mmCIF file of all heavy atoms in Angstrom:
data_model
loop_
_atom_site.group_PDB
_atom_site.id
_atom_site.type_symbol
_atom_site.label_atom_id
_atom_site.label_comp_id
_atom_site.label_asym_id
_atom_site.label_seq_id
_atom_site.Cartn_x
_atom_site.Cartn_y
_atom_site.Cartn_z
ATOM 1 N N ARG A 1 -15.355 -7.148 11.542
ATOM 2 C CA ARG A 1 -14.029 -7.308 10.976
ATOM 3 C C ARG A 1 -14.148 -7.817 9.554
ATOM 4 O O ARG A 1 -14.392 -8.993 9.341
ATOM 5 C CB ARG A 1 -13.209 -8.293 11.796
ATOM 6 C CG ARG A 1 -11.768 -8.441 11.311
ATOM 7 C CD ARG A 1 -10.842 -7.493 12.046
ATOM 8 N NE ARG A 1 -10.452 -6.351 11.256
ATOM 9 C CZ ARG A 1 -9.843 -5.290 11.762
ATOM 10 N NH1 ARG A 1 -9.583 -5.208 13.038
ATOM 11 N NH2 ARG A 1 -9.509 -4.291 10.990
ATOM 12 N N GLU A 2 -14.061 -6.942 8.598
ATOM 13 C CA GLU A 2 -14.110 -7.323 7.198
ATOM 14 C C GLU A 2 -12.684 -7.645 6.771
ATOM 15 O O GLU A 2 -11.892 -6.760 6.464
ATOM 16 C CB GLU A 2 -14.688 -6.188 6.347
ATOM 17 C CG GLU A 2 -16.149 -5.887 6.608
ATOM 18 C CD GLU A 2 -17.082 -6.871 5.909
ATOM 19 O OE1 GLU A 2 -16.589 -7.913 5.421
ATOM 20 O OE2 GLU A 2 -18.291 -6.598 5.869
ATOM 21 N N HIS A 3 -12.357 -8.940 6.716
ATOM 22 C CA HIS A 3 -10.975 -9.336 6.445
ATOM 23 C C HIS A 3 -10.535 -8.906 5.047
ATOM 24 O O HIS A 3 -9.369 -8.562 4.837
ATOM 25 C CB HIS A 3 -10.827 -10.847 6.619
ATOM 26 C CG HIS A 3 -11.085 -11.319 8.020
ATOM 27 N ND1 HIS A 3 -10.184 -11.095 9.042
ATOM 28 C CD2 HIS A 3 -12.147 -11.970 8.570
ATOM 29 C CE1 HIS A 3 -10.673 -11.599 10.167
ATOM 30 N NE2 HIS A 3 -11.849 -12.130 9.916
ATOM 31 N N TRP A 4 -11.454 -8.920 4.099
ATOM 32 C CA TRP A 4 -11.078 -8.519 2.747
ATOM 33 C C TRP A 4 -10.742 -7.034 2.693
ATOM 34 O O TRP A 4 -9.876 -6.621 1.910
ATOM 35 C CB TRP A 4 -12.180 -8.872 1.755
ATOM 36 C CG TRP A 4 -13.489 -8.185 1.969
ATOM 37 C CD1 TRP A 4 -14.523 -8.607 2.741
ATOM 38 C CD2 TRP A 4 -13.904 -6.933 1.400
ATOM 39 N NE1 TRP A 4 -15.565 -7.706 2.698
ATOM 40 C CE2 TRP A 4 -15.217 -6.676 1.870
ATOM 41 C CE3 TRP A 4 -13.308 -6.020 0.530
ATOM 42 C CZ2 TRP A 4 -15.926 -5.533 1.503
ATOM 43 C CZ3 TRP A 4 -14.016 -4.886 0.167
ATOM 44 C CH2 TRP A 4 -15.314 -4.651 0.647
ATOM 45 N N MET A 5 -11.392 -6.229 3.543
ATOM 46 C CA MET A 5 -11.042 -4.811 3.589
ATOM 47 C C MET A 5 -9.654 -4.620 4.181
ATOM 48 O O MET A 5 -8.891 -3.747 3.742
ATOM 49 C CB MET A 5 -12.080 -4.035 4.385
ATOM 50 C CG MET A 5 -13.384 -3.823 3.633
ATOM 51 S SD MET A 5 -14.542 -2.776 4.548
ATOM 52 C CE MET A 5 -13.600 -1.246 4.633
ATOM 53 N N ASP A 6 -9.306 -5.423 5.175
ATOM 54 C CA ASP A 6 -7.946 -5.377 5.703
ATOM 55 C C ASP A 6 -6.947 -5.705 4.606
ATOM 56 O O ASP A 6 -5.901 -5.056 4.486
ATOM 57 C CB ASP A 6 -7.785 -6.379 6.852
ATOM 58 C CG ASP A 6 -8.492 -5.945 8.113
ATOM 59 O OD1 ASP A 6 -8.691 -4.730 8.294
ATOM 60 O OD2 ASP A 6 -8.864 -6.817 8.922
ATOM 61 N N ALA A 7 -7.266 -6.736 3.788
ATOM 62 C CA ALA A 7 -6.361 -7.131 2.713
ATOM 63 C C ALA A 7 -6.209 -6.013 1.681
ATOM 64 O O ALA A 7 -5.093 -5.722 1.219
ATOM 65 C CB ALA A 7 -6.860 -8.407 2.046
ATOM 66 N N LEU A 8 -7.312 -5.365 1.320
ATOM 67 C CA LEU A 8 -7.236 -4.258 0.365
ATOM 68 C C LEU A 8 -6.418 -3.105 0.920
ATOM 69 O O LEU A 8 -5.619 -2.485 0.213
ATOM 70 C CB LEU A 8 -8.638 -3.771 0.011
ATOM 71 C CG LEU A 8 -9.530 -4.723 -0.782
ATOM 72 C CD1 LEU A 8 -10.868 -4.076 -1.075
ATOM 73 C CD2 LEU A 8 -8.850 -5.166 -2.079
ATOM 74 N N ARG A 9 -6.616 -2.825 2.204
ATOM 75 C CA ARG A 9 -5.846 -1.764 2.842
ATOM 76 C C ARG A 9 -4.366 -2.137 2.855
ATOM 77 O O ARG A 9 -3.495 -1.282 2.652
ATOM 78 C CB ARG A 9 -6.371 -1.558 4.266
ATOM 79 C CG ARG A 9 -5.958 -0.259 4.915
ATOM 80 C CD ARG A 9 -6.642 -0.101 6.259
ATOM 81 N NE ARG A 9 -8.080 0.046 6.110
ATOM 82 C CZ ARG A 9 -8.973 -0.803 6.590
ATOM 83 N NH1 ARG A 9 -8.581 -1.870 7.245
ATOM 84 N NH2 ARG A 9 -10.261 -0.586 6.417
ATOM 85 N N GLY A 10 -4.091 -3.417 3.085
ATOM 86 C CA GLY A 10 -2.709 -3.882 3.071
ATOM 87 C C GLY A 10 -2.076 -3.722 1.704
ATOM 88 O O GLY A 10 -0.925 -3.276 1.582
ATOM 89 N N VAL A 11 -2.816 -4.074 0.645
ATOM 90 C CA VAL A 11 -2.310 -3.896 -0.717
ATOM 91 C C VAL A 11 -2.011 -2.426 -0.977
ATOM 92 O O VAL A 11 -0.947 -2.073 -1.505
ATOM 93 C CB VAL A 11 -3.334 -4.423 -1.746
ATOM 94 C CG1 VAL A 11 -2.930 -4.004 -3.160
ATOM 95 C CG2 VAL A 11 -3.442 -5.936 -1.663
ATOM 96 N N ALA A 12 -2.947 -1.561 -0.608
ATOM 97 C CA ALA A 12 -2.783 -0.129 -0.871
ATOM 98 C C ALA A 12 -1.557 0.434 -0.167
ATOM 99 O O ALA A 12 -0.771 1.187 -0.763
ATOM 100 C CB ALA A 12 -4.038 0.632 -0.454
ATOM 101 N N VAL A 13 -1.367 0.088 1.104
ATOM 102 C CA VAL A 13 -0.245 0.671 1.843
ATOM 103 C C VAL A 13 1.086 0.097 1.354
ATOM 104 O O VAL A 13 2.099 0.809 1.309
ATOM 105 C CB VAL A 13 -0.425 0.486 3.366
ATOM 106 C CG1 VAL A 13 -0.147 -0.941 3.799
ATOM 107 C CG2 VAL A 13 0.461 1.468 4.127
ATOM 108 N N LEU A 14 1.113 -1.167 0.949
ATOM 109 C CA LEU A 14 2.347 -1.733 0.389
ATOM 110 C C LEU A 14 2.683 -1.062 -0.940
ATOM 111 O O LEU A 14 3.863 -0.839 -1.248
ATOM 112 C CB LEU A 14 2.203 -3.241 0.203
ATOM 113 C CG LEU A 14 2.207 -4.065 1.499
ATOM 114 C CD1 LEU A 14 1.898 -5.535 1.200
ATOM 115 C CD2 LEU A 14 3.546 -3.954 2.232
ATOM 116 N N LEU A 15 1.661 -0.735 -1.725
ATOM 117 C CA LEU A 15 1.905 -0.020 -2.974
ATOM 118 C C LEU A 15 2.435 1.388 -2.714
ATOM 119 O O LEU A 15 3.256 1.909 -3.478
ATOM 120 C CB LEU A 15 0.620 0.050 -3.795
ATOM 121 C CG LEU A 15 0.188 -1.252 -4.473
ATOM 122 C CD1 LEU A 15 -1.173 -1.090 -5.131
ATOM 123 C CD2 LEU A 15 1.217 -1.701 -5.510
ATOM 124 N N VAL A 16 1.969 2.009 -1.626
ATOM 125 C CA VAL A 16 2.497 3.321 -1.241
ATOM 126 C C VAL A 16 3.989 3.214 -0.948
ATOM 127 O O VAL A 16 4.801 4.011 -1.440
ATOM 128 C CB VAL A 16 1.747 3.882 -0.022
ATOM 129 C CG1 VAL A 16 2.482 5.098 0.547
ATOM 130 C CG2 VAL A 16 0.322 4.265 -0.390
ATOM 131 N N VAL A 17 4.364 2.213 -0.162
ATOM 132 C CA VAL A 17 5.780 2.028 0.184
ATOM 133 C C VAL A 17 6.591 1.757 -1.079
ATOM 134 O O VAL A 17 7.662 2.351 -1.290
ATOM 135 C CB VAL A 17 5.953 0.892 1.202
ATOM 136 C CG1 VAL A 17 7.431 0.683 1.519
ATOM 137 C CG2 VAL A 17 5.187 1.195 2.482
ATOM 138 N N PHE A 18 6.083 0.859 -1.932
ATOM 139 C CA PHE A 18 6.798 0.544 -3.172
ATOM 140 C C PHE A 18 6.990 1.791 -4.027
ATOM 141 O O PHE A 18 8.080 2.043 -4.554
ATOM 142 C CB PHE A 18 6.034 -0.523 -3.958
ATOM 143 C CG PHE A 18 6.557 -0.701 -5.353
ATOM 144 C CD1 PHE A 18 7.759 -1.366 -5.577
ATOM 145 C CD2 PHE A 18 5.873 -0.181 -6.445
ATOM 146 C CE1 PHE A 18 8.260 -1.512 -6.874
ATOM 147 C CE2 PHE A 18 6.363 -0.322 -7.738
ATOM 148 C CZ PHE A 18 7.563 -0.991 -7.948
ATOM 149 N N THR A 19 5.935 2.572 -4.186
ATOM 150 C CA THR A 19 6.022 3.791 -4.997
ATOM 151 C C THR A 19 7.089 4.729 -4.457
ATOM 152 O O THR A 19 7.894 5.286 -5.208
ATOM 153 C CB THR A 19 4.662 4.510 -5.030
ATOM 154 O OG1 THR A 19 3.694 3.648 -5.633
ATOM 155 C CG2 THR A 19 4.743 5.803 -5.826
ATOM 156 N N HIS A 20 7.108 4.903 -3.147
ATOM 157 C CA HIS A 20 8.073 5.821 -2.548
ATOM 158 C C HIS A 20 9.503 5.313 -2.662
ATOM 159 O O HIS A 20 10.438 6.116 -2.775
ATOM 160 C CB HIS A 20 7.708 6.074 -1.084
ATOM 161 C CG HIS A 20 6.508 6.945 -0.921
ATOM 162 N ND1 HIS A 20 5.828 7.071 0.273
ATOM 163 C CD2 HIS A 20 5.849 7.740 -1.815
ATOM 164 C CE1 HIS A 20 4.807 7.894 0.101
ATOM 165 N NE2 HIS A 20 4.807 8.318 -1.149
ATOM 166 N N THR A 21 9.700 3.994 -2.645
ATOM 167 C CA THR A 21 11.072 3.484 -2.793
ATOM 168 C C THR A 21 11.631 3.804 -4.178
ATOM 169 O O THR A 21 12.853 3.837 -4.353
ATOM 170 C CB THR A 21 11.136 1.964 -2.559
ATOM 171 O OG1 THR A 21 10.297 1.285 -3.519
ATOM 172 C CG2 THR A 21 10.723 1.598 -1.149
ATOM 173 N N TYR A 22 10.748 4.054 -5.130
ATOM 174 C CA TYR A 22 11.207 4.448 -6.467
ATOM 175 C C TYR A 22 11.256 5.961 -6.652
ATOM 176 O O TYR A 22 12.229 6.496 -7.201
ATOM 177 C CB TYR A 22 10.316 3.829 -7.544
ATOM 178 C CG TYR A 22 10.639 4.351 -8.930
ATOM 179 C CD1 TYR A 22 11.839 4.000 -9.545
ATOM 180 C CD2 TYR A 22 9.774 5.210 -9.598
ATOM 181 C CE1 TYR A 22 12.168 4.501 -10.802
ATOM 182 C CE2 TYR A 22 10.092 5.713 -10.854
ATOM 183 C CZ TYR A 22 11.286 5.356 -11.448
ATOM 184 O OH TYR A 22 11.620 5.850 -12.677
ATOM 185 N N THR A 23 10.222 6.665 -6.187
ATOM 186 C CA THR A 23 10.120 8.096 -6.485
ATOM 187 C C THR A 23 10.925 8.974 -5.527
ATOM 188 O O THR A 23 11.493 9.979 -5.936
ATOM 189 C CB THR A 23 8.653 8.540 -6.466
ATOM 190 O OG1 THR A 23 8.088 8.290 -5.169
ATOM 191 C CG2 THR A 23 7.845 7.797 -7.524
ATOM 192 N N MET A 24 10.955 8.633 -4.252
ATOM 193 C CA MET A 24 11.556 9.518 -3.262
ATOM 194 C C MET A 24 13.071 9.653 -3.365
ATOM 195 O O MET A 24 13.613 10.733 -3.109
ATOM 196 C CB MET A 24 11.152 9.097 -1.851
ATOM 197 C CG MET A 24 9.699 9.374 -1.543
ATOM 198 S SD MET A 24 9.272 11.127 -1.817
ATOM 199 C CE MET A 24 7.528 11.117 -1.428
ATOM 200 N N PRO A 25 13.834 8.586 -3.720
ATOM 201 C CA PRO A 25 15.280 8.792 -3.858
ATOM 202 C C PRO A 25 15.633 9.892 -4.847
ATOM 203 O O PRO A 25 16.610 10.619 -4.650
ATOM 204 C CB PRO A 25 15.767 7.416 -4.347
ATOM 205 C CG PRO A 25 14.798 6.457 -3.755
ATOM 206 C CD PRO A 25 13.471 7.174 -3.831
ATOM 207 N N GLN A 26 14.813 10.050 -5.893
ATOM 208 C CA GLN A 26 15.096 11.098 -6.870
ATOM 209 C C GLN A 26 14.941 12.487 -6.246
ATOM 210 O O GLN A 26 15.638 13.425 -6.625
ATOM 211 C CB GLN A 26 14.154 10.935 -8.054
ATOM 212 C CG GLN A 26 14.298 9.587 -8.745
ATOM 213 C CD GLN A 26 13.215 9.320 -9.770
ATOM 214 O OE1 GLN A 26 12.915 10.179 -10.594
ATOM 215 N NE2 GLN A 26 12.630 8.145 -9.741
ATOM 216 N N GLY A 27 14.019 12.606 -5.291
ATOM 217 C CA GLY A 27 13.855 13.869 -4.588
ATOM 218 C C GLY A 27 14.924 14.116 -3.557
ATOM 219 O O GLY A 27 15.022 15.207 -2.996
#
């Protein structure tokens, strides 16, 4: 269990959600 890898994965997926909350409404 690499906890730092979990944290990086968490950052990445939260950034995905954030990006979509801005880009997807326009679509």
Side-chain angles (χ1 to χ4, degrees):
R1 184 93 256 168
E2 293 280 12
H3 297 287
W4 63 271
M5 285 185 62
D6 288 335
L8 293 181
R9 197 174 294 117
V11 169
V13 75
L14 288 174
L15 286 174
V16 168
V17 178
F18 169 75
T19 298
H20 287 166
T21 60
Y22 173 70
T23 60
M24 289 305 178
Q26 300 170 47

